[in-house]
Amino acid sequence: MKIATSRFGEIEINENSIVTMPEGMLGFGEIKEYVLIQHNEGSPFLWYQAVREPNLAFVIVDPFTFFPDYEVQLTEEDLEALKCEKLSDLAVFAVVVIPENPENMTANLRGPIVINTENRIARQVVLADGRYSPNHPIIAALKQRENAE
Amino acid sequence: MLVLKRKEGQAIDVGDDIRIILKEIKGSHVKVVISAPSEVRIRRAEVERQIGAENIRAARCRVEDLAIEVSVADGKARRQDKT
């Protein structure tokens, strides 16, 4: 099917790739269907584009590529909401905010998007773990890791 | 809305299966114990608000804002050489 987007124009998506968020994203509860669009080949970034809302898209990233020690602890209730049978079916993404200077971009490690790749149900979970903030600088983390290597 | 006065150690029952115990009160901090069925979602309201606010900021990103050279190899993100 074709969908309209403000950033990428009209794009063709596979209906079977639509991710459904029964509760939506926090602050965007009414918008429940999204698709993942790869930013550029080899880039860690993806776009989480709303299917029926051309203007709405988030930059997301696989948080483990920046924070190898990142841990996501889901509650029983999260797993039920995701109708999760196997933990290995779950994929985790962090929402990215890009300020004027992209070097200062941050990832939301406190509220990751968890997608059950088996049934494509997703939820933005709120982690109880106070080590993680909603705006974790990611380029600084990358530099730190590169320096350590 | 209901406003209740409770002392340390006292509890509040909500419906038949939710109990909230005010376990400890120290200065401006309250330790609360909540027993509820696993399907009841319990959240820290201010963290959720903060995440909602970050989402609103995130939704403003345009494609050209992502002008940063980072690639992934072997599951690790790296900045690309600027040579």
Side-chain angles (χ1 to χ4, degrees), chain A residues 46-70:
Chain A
L46 295 93
W47 290 87
Y48 196 55
Q49 168 72 49
V51 172
R52 289 168 213 288
E53 212 47 62
N55 288 316
L56 184 63
F58 301 93
V59 177
I60 59 171
V61 72
D62 171 352
F64 302 104
T65 60
F66 286 87
F67 304 96
D69 302 326
Y70 182 49

Side-chain angles (χ1 to χ4, degrees), chain B:
Chain B
M1 191 162 94
L2 171 70
V3 179
L4 290 174
K5 228 177 220 173
R6 302 269 68 196
K7 289 182 181 152
E8 188 170 291
Q10 291 185 325
I12 300 161
D13 287 333
V14 181
D16 292 329
D17 39 21
I18 299 173
R19 171 160 287 185
I20 300 162
I21 303 166
L22 302 170
K23 174 110 170 144
E24 195 181 285
I25 301 172
K26 256 194 206 153
S28 62
H29 286 74
V30 184
K31 192 185 259 179
V32 180
V33 177
I34 305 167
S35 345
S38 64
E39 68 273 14
V40 174
R41 196 175 181 191
I42 298 164
R43 295 159 295 184
R44 288 168 177 73
E46 78 291 349
V47 177
E48 197 157 303
R49 247 201 327 273
Q50 224 182 343
I51 291 172
E54 282 303 304
N55 282 348
I56 290 166
R57 291 178 64 203
R60 293 196 195 114
C61 289
R62 300 161 305 166
V63 177
E64 55 270 33
D65 295 332
L66 198 45
I68 191 150
E69 297 299 313
V70 180
S71 62
V72 187
D74 304 326
K76 282 184 180 174
R78 295 193 180 281
R79 280 174 307 151
Q80 275 155 5
D81 290 329
K82 289 164 190 147
T83 50

Side-chain angles (χ1 to χ4, degrees), chain A residues 62-81:
Chain A
D62 171 352
F64 302 104
T65 60
F66 286 87
F67 304 96
D69 302 326
Y70 182 49
E71 286 173 348
V72 174
Q73 187 138 32
L74 300 176
T75 63
E76 277 298 309
E77 197 261 334
D78 289 325
L79 295 173
E80 278 170 38

Side-chain angles (χ1 to χ4, degrees), chain A residues 76-145:
Chain A
E76 277 298 309
E77 197 261 334
D78 289 325
L79 295 173
E80 278 170 38
L82 291 161
K83 298 194 167 56
C84 174
E85 289 172 6
K86 284 206 311 282
L87 286 177
S88 58
D89 290 336
L90 301 179
V92 176
F93 294 96
V95 181
V96 175
V97 170
I98 307 172
E100 208 164 321
N101 179 356
E103 289 282 325
N104 298 329
M105 67 168 73
T106 58
N108 186 343
L109 297 187
R110 192 70 187 268
I113 299 171
V114 180
I115 302 177
N116 185 344
T117 56
E118 197 54 37
N119 55 20
R120 294 181 316 281
I121 294 175
R123 171 182 246 195
Q124 187 170 30
V125 303
V126 178
L127 301 183
D129 195 333
R131 285 180 298 168
Y132 301 127
S133 87
N135 42 25
H136 221 89
I138 65 178
I139 301 301
L142 200 62
K143 286 180 182 163
Q144 207 173 33
R145 207 194 62 214

